[in-house]
Amino acid sequence: MADLKQTEDFLVEIGTEELPPKALKKLSTAFADGILAGLSEAELAHGTVHIYAAPRRLAVMIEGMQTVQADKTVERKGPAKKAAYDADGNPTKALEGFARGCGVSVDQLIEIDTDKGVWMAYNLEQKGQPATELLADIVNQSLAKLPIPKRMRWGSSDVEFVRPVHWALMLLGEQVVPATILGHETSNTTRGHRFHVPEEISITTPAQYKSKLAEQGYVMADFEERAQRIREQVEAVAKQAGGIAQIDEDLLEEVTALNEWPVAIVGDFDESFLAVPSEALVSAMAGHQKYFHMLDANGKLMAKFITISNIESSNPESVKFGNERVIRPRLSDAKFFWDQDRKQPLDDFLPRLKTVVFQQKLGTLFDKVERLETLTVKVGKPLGVSVETCERAARLSKCDLMSEMVGEFPELQGVMGRYYAQEQNESAEVADSIDAQYQPRFAGDELPSTALSQALAIADKLDTITGIYGIGQVPTGDKDPFALRRAALGLLRIMIEKEVDLDLRLLIQYGLELHEQVDADEKLVDEIYDFIIGRLRAYYADQGVSAEQFEAVRVCRPAHPVDFAKRIQAVQKFSEMEAAESLSAANKRINNLLKKVEGAIPETVNEDLLAEAAEQALWKELEALRELVSDQLAGRDYAAAIETMSTIRGSVDLFFDEVMVMAEDDSIRLNRLALLNQIYQLFLEVADISRL
């Protein structure tokens, strides 16, 4: 019997050329997940898992891993008993073959009862395998499944990986697990920092891996610890320089993936560059050189940067000087673009949009601008924005895409448009809308704040969604090249959070009509509405709204997202009421009864057919209730309306206790169903509470 109490720590490390920085975290997590999946399948128990990732290594250390699989009994199922013996009771060839395959005689087989009768079987005692015989396959399979879009080969080897591999370490306790990993025989040696300690370092036990690499190898293997070290250093050196560090989380992650032994150094640049918009300077520093910037006490950009060096230099001034020399031409480029772009008005860029295809079937960016001029008016007019202002904002909205600056720094689209519009004395409202049209750019981003910017942002997103969706390029899986999901959620967030109370279905219809290539029928409008509203599922889930609460409103298909939000709030409030469970159950019962009805249900209730006291009382209360909630529903005070409606609970319960709905008399039965239908329809004015 295997000793299941025997455990050892396990460590595997793959040493490579510098891994893609933006993919490092994803690769390391996937590597660990693959190994854990393999251990689970092999039924090898283990303790805490540690994931390590640095520019030249992927590693996983697992505490207390079971060193031998447990012995287990495996039941092998053979032929059915009726096929196992002939008419004389002798074993058939099928049974003999099965026994032979199990390595036993026929008389050693057993019979098992199943749902499909009696079958022949054999219980095979399977001895657990040592982990050392399983780990090579587990690791190799995990590596083979890593999310690597394009693998490369190097030298004369047929091995493929994201980057050339130089070593492989694999230990179980103090024992090297023998294996060939990506063309390398495993050992107990790793390598330190490429420049500080390029020679091999022996690892005796998995537990010492992280500390030994740091102490002897100048390598911080833990990604999160390295990121925290960088954050602390950047904040500290910025404070020493009299500034406040601005740490973009994406940049921090990328810089962490580029450095094994991070050291923060402050550099300077010529203050004359501060005449260029700060966003352009920040893009040049962060995008090209991976530098952090800092602000002064007044929130203004300082003529300084923070670089993260991958060495602990004996001459940091030399490192500082080298980085200053590198950033100077980058900032000079940004200044040149700024000066060149301002030599002509923003309007002059508009004709150039005819040379850029937005989408092959939907025309150029110029075509998109022409649609936006119409659509922005449709959205903006109900918000109180003048036609002229809407048209001007839309006309200038994409002009900066043809500027030198945005050509070099695409992330500045809209931002530079705002600056260039200000330069030619456009109104602040128009200038700001050019930038705000792209909001929200990411989850949690700010939303457009003015009616004009909201109108342009909604129009821009709506044009993209209706056009791309209309030509059949529906997002599938991870494929969403035009970011329709993000556009849809952004559109909804603006409408809901800024209370832009517009009819979404009508806007979709407007958007589709502007695309000559699209057949804008009612079915397509419904499909696009469902696609857009579907983005609210995750949006509300993040706010604690249950799937049932969301569905209760969604099935009512409110045309106005603002209306949708008010109904969600009402349903949440209703769910907390004492009457909620009883009324929800009653509505489910009503819905089930109505679904079974063949033919039409009367639209009105015949009071003369209400014979039972309970149904008479329910009808009177329903009539009174309708009057009470009519103003609340008209004013979209759904929370108050559903609270008022909940008072009918007692009469509904009494009705079901004392009245036979499905009476034999057709007229009485249909009249009672009509009564229930009116109750159901009244609640549907807010939500389908039967789904709660």
Side-chain angles (χ1 to χ4, degrees):
M1 187 74 174
D3 184 1
L4 302 184
K5 295 180 181 178
Q6 182 63 42
T7 62
E8 295 282 5
D9 294 342
F10 170 67
L11 171 67
V12 59
E13 180 196 52
I14 310 300
T16 68
E17 291 290 333
E18 277 73 7
L19 293 159
K22 291 185 178 180
L24 182 60
K25 275 194 81 172
K26 186 177 180 181
L27 287 173
S28 65
T29 302
F31 183 38
D33 289 346
I35 290 173
L36 294 178
L39 294 179
S40 176
E41 188 176 343
E43 298 181 0
L44 289 171
H46 59 81
T48 305
V49 179
H50 303 272
I51 303 173
Y52 301 115
R56 300 170 63 223
R57 68 201 74 229
L58 295 174
V60 178
M61 199 279 274
I62 300 175
E63 296 181 21
M65 194 181 80
Q66 193 175 317
T67 58
V68 183
Q69 287 178 318
D71 297 339
K72 63 180 180 180
T73 300
V74 179
E75 184 181 84
R76 287 190 180 178
K77 190 176 173 186
K81 184 177 180 180
K82 60 185 178 183
Y85 296 96
D86 60 21
D88 298 325
N90 298 313
T92 61
K93 288 185 178 181
L95 185 64
E96 290 175 342
F98 172 67
R100 197 161 45 248
C102 294
V104 296
S105 60
V106 169
D107 59 5
Q108 290 178 277
L109 300 177
I110 62 172
E111 297 178 3
I112 57 172
D113 289 323
T114 72
D115 295 339
K116 297 181 180 179
V118 179
W119 293 71
M120 305 307 295
Y122 179 68
N123 288 334
L124 177 68
E125 296 300 322
Q126 184 171 299
K127 191 170 179 59
Q129 289 181 271
T132 51
E133 295 179 11
L134 302 167
L135 288 169
D137 280 344
I138 290 173
V139 170
N140 277 319
Q141 285 180 29
S142 177
L143 289 168
K145 293 176 182 177
L146 289 184
I148 302 172
K150 191 173 183 181
R151 294 173 182 260
M152 63 183 295
R153 287 188 295 189
W154 55 95
S156 58
S157 171
D158 289 333
V159 173
E160 293 184 343
F161 197 54
V162 63
R163 290 291 185 271
V165 176
H166 292 299
W167 76 89
L169 176 155
M170 191 148 61
L171 289 175
L172 186 60
E174 297 181 6
Q175 177 186 359
V176 173
V177 180
T180 301
I181 306 293
L182 295 172
H184 289 268
E185 298 301 315
T186 52
S187 69
N188 68 338
T189 60
T190 183
R191 296 181 196 176
H193 191 284
R194 184 185 286 279
F195 304 112
H196 283 299
V197 189
E199 59 267 17
E200 293 184 344
I201 299 172
S202 295
I203 302 296
T204 308
T205 66
Q208 69 175 202
Y209 171 76
K210 185 177 79 167
S211 59
K212 199 165 188 179
L213 263 181
E215 292 162 8
Q216 297 183 19
Y218 279 78
V219 173
M220 290 186 70
D222 189 296
F223 191 98
E224 300 303 333
E225 288 181 8
R226 208 162 61 251
Q228 185 59 26
R229 168 80 67 90
I230 292 171
R231 186 189 297 277
E232 291 170 356
Q233 287 187 359
V234 167
E235 289 174 346
V237 297
K239 188 175 182 180
Q240 289 171 3
I244 304 165
Q246 302 301 297
I247 300 178
D248 177 84
E249 294 303 317
D250 289 338
L251 178 59
L252 175 61
E253 182 174 313
E254 189 173 357
V255 170
T256 303
L258 286 166
N259 295 276
E260 290 185 319
W261 194 254
V263 178
I265 295 174
V266 175
D268 300 281
F269 60 83
D270 195 312
E271 290 196 359
S272 65
F273 287 121
L274 293 177
V276 179
S278 60
E279 293 93 339
L281 300 179
V282 170
S283 285
M285 288 188 283
H288 287 301
Q289 301 304 130
K290 314 306 173 190
Y291 295 163
F292 297 96
H293 65 285
M294 62 180 90
L295 305 179
D296 63 19
N298 296 317
K300 299 294 185 183
L301 182 68
M302 297 177 70
K304 294 179 181 293
F305 63 86
I306 302 168
T307 182
I308 304 300
S309 173
N310 194 31
I311 58 171
E312 197 167 282
S313 175
S314 58
N315 186 7
E317 279 299 312
S318 176
V319 177
K320 173 180 180 289
F321 175 77
N323 280 276
E324 289 173 345
R325 187 163 50 86
V326 169
I327 195 59
R328 193 174 301 118
R330 297 295 187 188
L331 299 181
S332 295
D333 286 346
K335 186 176 186 306
F336 173 78
F337 298 144
W338 170 242
D339 292 338
Q340 286 296 110
D341 288 339
R342 290 184 298 152
K343 288 181 179 179
Q344 62 272 303
L346 191 56
D347 304 65
D348 284 5
F349 291 112
L350 184 62
R352 302 185 202 177
L353 293 173
K354 294 177 181 179
T355 65
V356 182
V357 174
F358 168 59
Q359 200 284 332
Q360 191 173 8
K361 293 182 180 179
L362 301 176
T364 65
L365 283 174
F366 185 85
D367 296 324
K368 181 177 178 68
V369 167
E370 289 194 317
R371 293 193 298 270
L372 286 181
E373 287 183 89
T374 302
L375 197 51
T376 304
V377 171
K378 287 284 190 184
V379 179
K381 204 171 177 182
L383 305 183
V385 187
S386 73
V387 171
E388 294 77 11
T389 305
C390 287
E391 289 178 340
R392 184 62 179 161
R395 191 162 186 77
L396 297 178
S397 64
K398 305 299 178 185
C399 289
D400 69 332
L401 298 181
M402 304 311 297
S403 67
E404 296 280 354
M405 186 75 85
V406 175
E408 180 67 17
F409 303 109
E411 66 273 16
L412 295 180
Q413 64 177 7
V415 174
M416 297 314 302
R418 169 166 51 83
Y419 279 111
Y420 296 145
Q422 290 169 348
E423 285 284 310
Q424 66 184 40
N425 296 317
E426 296 289 339
S427 69
E429 189 181 22
V430 168
D432 290 344
S433 71
I434 297 172
D435 185 4
Q437 68 177 301
Y438 297 105
Q439 293 177 334
R441 289 178 171 88
F442 51 85
D445 189 20
E446 292 181 5
L447 299 175
S449 58
T450 67
L452 174 62
S453 60
Q454 290 159 7
L456 183 58
I458 290 170
D460 183 37
K461 292 167 177 58
L462 196 64
D463 176 76
T464 299
I465 295 168
T466 54
I468 301 300
Y469 204 103
I471 61 172
Q473 292 196 13
V474 184
T476 55
D478 293 334
K479 294 182 179 179
D480 188 6
F482 285 87
L484 299 193
R485 294 187 182 101
R486 187 176 66 194
L489 182 56
L491 181 153
L492 289 166
R493 280 193 60 205
I494 294 168
M495 296 179 81
I496 291 172
E497 294 176 31
K498 293 297 183 179
E499 296 189 346
V500 179
D501 193 8
L502 298 173
D503 187 321
L504 178 59
R505 292 180 59 84
L506 198 56
L507 290 179
I508 293 169
Q509 185 69 46
Y510 287 151
L512 288 171
E513 287 171 356
L514 293 174
H515 293 284
E516 296 176 0
Q517 310 85 342
V518 176
D519 183 13
D521 59 15
E522 194 67 24
K523 181 182 177 185
L524 184 56
V525 173
D526 285 339
E527 288 177 1
I528 296 176
Y529 169 86
D530 288 337
F531 167 74
I532 294 175
I533 289 296
R535 301 308 101 206
L536 287 177
R537 190 184 307 275
Y539 172 79
Y540 279 122
D542 290 341
Q543 298 177 30
V545 176
S546 70
E548 293 79 12
Q549 290 170 341
F550 174 78
E551 280 300 310
V553 174
R554 189 194 65 79
V555 296
C556 297
R557 302 177 68 79
H560 294 240
V562 169
D563 190 55
F564 197 108
K566 291 180 181 293
R567 290 171 189 247
I568 285 285
Q569 293 168 1
V571 168
Q572 283 187 293
K573 185 175 180 181
F574 171 74
S575 297
E576 297 170 358
M577 294 179 188
E578 185 184 342
E581 188 175 346
S582 174
L583 276 172
S584 177
N587 269 267
K588 280 185 184 134
R589 186 172 178 182
I590 293 170
N591 192 23
N592 289 333
L593 286 168
L594 296 175
K595 284 192 292 189
K596 293 176 183 176
V597 177
E598 295 181 4
I601 296 174
E603 293 183 7
T604 59
V605 174
N606 185 342
E607 290 187 63
D608 294 335
L609 293 176
L610 299 175
E612 302 288 342
E615 60 184 332
Q616 292 170 354
L618 180 58
W619 170 246
K620 286 179 182 176
E621 188 164 357
L622 176 61
E623 287 282 84
L625 206 58
R626 265 200 282 254
E627 285 188 32
L628 288 172
V629 301
S630 60
D631 289 342
Q632 294 168 334
L633 291 172
R636 289 187 185 168
D637 190 354
Y638 296 119
I642 205 164
E643 186 173 1
T644 303
M645 291 180 199
S646 66
T647 60
I648 203 172
R649 166 194 171 187
S651 296
V652 170
D653 289 344
L654 185 64
F655 174 87
F656 278 120
D657 286 342
E658 299 188 0
V659 177
M660 173 67 70
V661 178
M662 306 306 283
E664 291 186 14
D665 186 291
D666 290 346
S667 59
I668 293 176
R669 181 175 66 255
L670 287 172
N671 198 54
R672 288 171 179 170
L673 288 168
L675 172 58
L676 294 177
N677 186 43
Q678 290 199 15
I679 295 170
Y680 188 70
Q681 294 302 321
L682 182 62
F683 275 95
L684 278 181
E685 294 286 331
V686 178
D688 184 359
I689 65 168
S690 71
R691 294 175 177 266
L692 300 177

